[in-house]
Amino acid sequence: MIKKAILYSLCCLTLLIAAISLAGCRSKVIDTASSESDTTDKSPLASIAGTWREDSENGIKVLIVSQDGNYLVLNEVGATLKGSVKREQADGGKQSRYLFYDETSDLWAESLPVSNTGDKPEEITLTSDGKKMKFAGIDENQKTPAGDYLGTWQSGRCSITISKKGDSYPVDIIWGGSASESLEWNYLCRYDEETATLICDRGAKKADVVYDENGKRTEKVLYSDGSGSFKARGDVLIWKDNQEDTGKDLIFVHLPVEN
């Protein structure tokens, strides 16, 4: 009787250990599957996230798509459009179509099918009201030579003019408030080879400028100890103002030089 009881106890213990092990394996399988699913669905917009540019007879457009599902469209005259992006599968999962909704949740545009290889396409085509818009991708890792910064950059009523003086790059910004008044910034920058950006370490000035009916200029300096930087990629420029972060919502496009 004692031997049978011991054998019975050992059998029960073995079954209990096996059950615990099996439960642990099942738990691991579920966790792994969940993790893989999270990884797959974590960035459904990864293939098109980034900055895109379109040149057309209607002007220059810049499209910015973020991985969190938002987009922003800007052009050189200051018009903006923003909303959300959704992805839907096409061609049995081999391709994706991206739907762009405006802030009222109405469909603004949709993309032609994009391959699901995971690689970023060189361009994407959007259709809106029967019209096609072809956007070329901007390589944000490609370094911009110092000479490509020169000229005029525009974002609505705000313009940036960059010139060269010796080894320095004066940057003059005018933001028109009316025909007679504007805000103006003056930066003296250096070109940083490592980051391929223009950097002003100190001494930037901001002024409120008013012209009277005779064209006389009156300037009120608001600060003269500012700093900042300018980063250009693919004819799109970002202004980083360290004093007040004034340029945070602006995207500037390089205006063509008229011959």
Side-chain angles (χ1 to χ4, degrees), residues 237-255:
L237 181 117
I238 303 295
W239 167 28
K240 174 62 177 177
D241 169 36
N242 295 335
Q243 191 81 4
E244 299 172 335
D245 204 15
T246 306
K248 66 177 180 178
D249 296 323
L250 301 179
I251 300 291
F252 294 82
V253 294
H254 208 179
L255 299 184

Side-chain angles (χ1 to χ4, degrees), residues 103-120:
E103 291 183 288
T104 61
S105 298
D106 290 328
L107 183 65
W108 167 65
E110 63 180 83
S111 75
L112 296 184
V114 177
S115 176
N116 279 343
T117 60
D119 298 327
K120 185 175 181 178

Side-chain angles (χ1 to χ4, degrees), residues 172-175 182-186 205-209 211 217 219:
D172 300 310
I173 303 174
I174 299 177
W175 195 329
S182 63
L183 290 173
E184 298 186 9
W185 291 259
N186 305 108
K205 183 180 76 171
K206 176 185 178 182
D208 186 2
V209 178
Y211 292 88
R217 173 189 171 103
E219 177 181 293

Side-chain angles (χ1 to χ4, degrees), residues 8-169:
Y8 179 79
S9 298
L10 288 173
C11 288
C12 290
L13 181 59
T14 302
L15 289 173
L16 180 60
I17 292 172
I20 292 173
S21 299
L22 181 60
C25 289
R26 286 178 179 170
S27 177
K28 288 180 181 179
V29 170
I30 293 172
D31 289 344
T32 302
S34 175
S35 176
E36 289 175 354
S37 176
D38 289 345
T39 302
T40 303
D41 298 332
K42 186 176 182 180
S43 302
L45 303 180
S47 293
I48 65 166
T51 304
W52 306 79
R53 176 188 168 100
E54 184 214 28
D55 289 344
S56 71
E57 59 183 11
N58 298 318
I60 301 170
K61 292 188 184 71
V62 175
L63 168 66
I64 302 171
V65 180
S66 62
Q67 294 196 26
D68 62 4
N70 296 314
Y71 75 90
L72 180 66
V73 177
L74 309 100
N75 61 41
E76 78 271 22
V77 297
T80 62
L81 178 69
K82 56 185 177 180
S84 59
V85 189
K86 305 294 182 184
R87 184 187 72 174
E88 67 176 22
Q89 298 293 337
D91 191 20
K94 296 179 180 179
Q95 295 180 315
S96 290
R97 183 181 291 108
Y98 296 92
L99 308 177
F100 293 74
Y101 295 92
D102 61 23
E103 291 183 288
T104 61
S105 298
D106 290 328
L107 183 65
W108 167 65
E110 63 180 83
S111 75
L112 296 184
V114 177
S115 176
N116 279 343
T117 60
D119 298 327
K120 185 175 181 178
E122 293 184 359
E123 62 182 34
I124 55 174
T125 300
L126 305 185
T127 60
S128 178
D129 294 329
K131 297 179 180 179
K132 288 186 177 181
M133 298 173 287
K134 187 174 290 186
F135 289 87
I138 292 177
D139 184 358
E140 298 178 16
N141 295 317
Q142 184 177 359
K143 293 187 176 182
T144 302
D148 288 358
Y149 277 88
L150 303 180
T152 301
W153 304 76
Q154 192 74 31
S155 179
R157 293 180 289 106
C158 189
S159 65
I160 296 177
T161 301
I162 301 176
S163 56
K164 191 175 189 300
K165 186 176 181 180
D167 294 330
S168 300
Y169 294 84

